[in-house]
Amino acid sequence: MRALEADERVNRVHFVASENSLRVLAEELSLSGRANLLEKLLGAAPKKTVQHADADIGAPIASGSHPSDGMIVLPCSMGTLAAIALGLANSLIARAADVALKERRPLVLCVRETPFNRIHLRNMTLAAEAGATIFPCIPAYYANPQSSSEMAKEFACRVLAHIGLPQPGAYVWKPEA
Ligand SMILES: Cc1cc2nc3c(=O)[nH]c(=O)nc-3n(C[C@H](O)[C@H](O)[C@H](O)COP(=O)(O)O)c2cc1C
């Protein structure tokens, strides 16, 4: 999200945090509450990122008429994967993902779970067959990351490059000549 804020090619970022993600943010990043969540995540007041409630199924991104270059769900829980794979459209995240698929726009699902059960595997296949990219949260060890934040940063760079936003300074594999 910080990279998107800093990227001159990007005009607008629509951010949606599910209700359950607030608990995950509290546990994993020690970020509590939804007040000023964007400021806390970005480390500064947002310039181009707008936040929508996951219950707001009337937000602009709920409609295919709203122009959009793609959508990233990061991290994508198995619950959200299931909702997207089955086309439930029962939350703004699931609806916006449904819109991305029907409008043939990039949809990147950064699934995070291990091990996978057969339901997870089926839902990933369903989503991939509908046009989504399954982009598991798996770090690249060949870049020799020295910290978990370096791993996370390189992963974010890979995801952004995948939707056409290669990031300056991102690791690129160069085999020895
Ligand atoms: C700290 C924490 C971490 C979690 N991590 C994952 C995860 O990596 N993958 C997953 O599928 N569910 C994970 N869960 C469970 C989901 O949050 C839970 O299934 C939730 O209902 C999914 O809702 P969501 O899709 O809005 O996140 C986690 C829960 C907690 C509390």
Side-chain angles (χ1 to χ4, degrees), residues 38-56:
L38 271 183
E39 280 86 345
K40 288 182 207 159
L41 286 168
L42 296 171
K47 293 195 182 78
K48 58 178 79 161
T49 307
V50 288
Q51 185 171 2
H52 307 287
D54 198 24
D56 183 8

Side-chain angles (χ1 to χ4, degrees), residues 2-44:
R2 288 180 188 172
L4 286 169
E5 269 279 320
D7 198 318
E8 287 178 1
R9 296 165 293 185
V10 176
N11 294 321
R12 174 72 71 213
V13 181
H14 294 269
F15 170 70
V16 188
S18 75
E19 204 53 41
N20 292 324
S21 75
L22 296 177
R23 174 66 192 275
V24 178
L25 283 166
E27 298 289 342
E28 298 183 358
L29 297 180
S30 302
L31 294 178
S32 59
R34 66 174 72 245
N36 302 321
L37 182 56
L38 271 183
E39 280 86 345
K40 288 182 207 159
L41 286 168
L42 296 171

Side-chain angles (χ1 to χ4, degrees), residues 106-137:
L107 172 66
V108 185
L109 304 180
C110 300
V111 294
R112 202 185 69 168
E113 188 54 281
T114 196
F116 292 125
N117 65 33
R118 207 174 279 204
I119 297 168
H120 303 150
L121 294 166
R122 281 203 193 103
N123 285 337
M124 282 191 275
T125 301
L126 278 175
E129 285 173 350
T133 298
I134 304 299
F135 207 121
C137 292

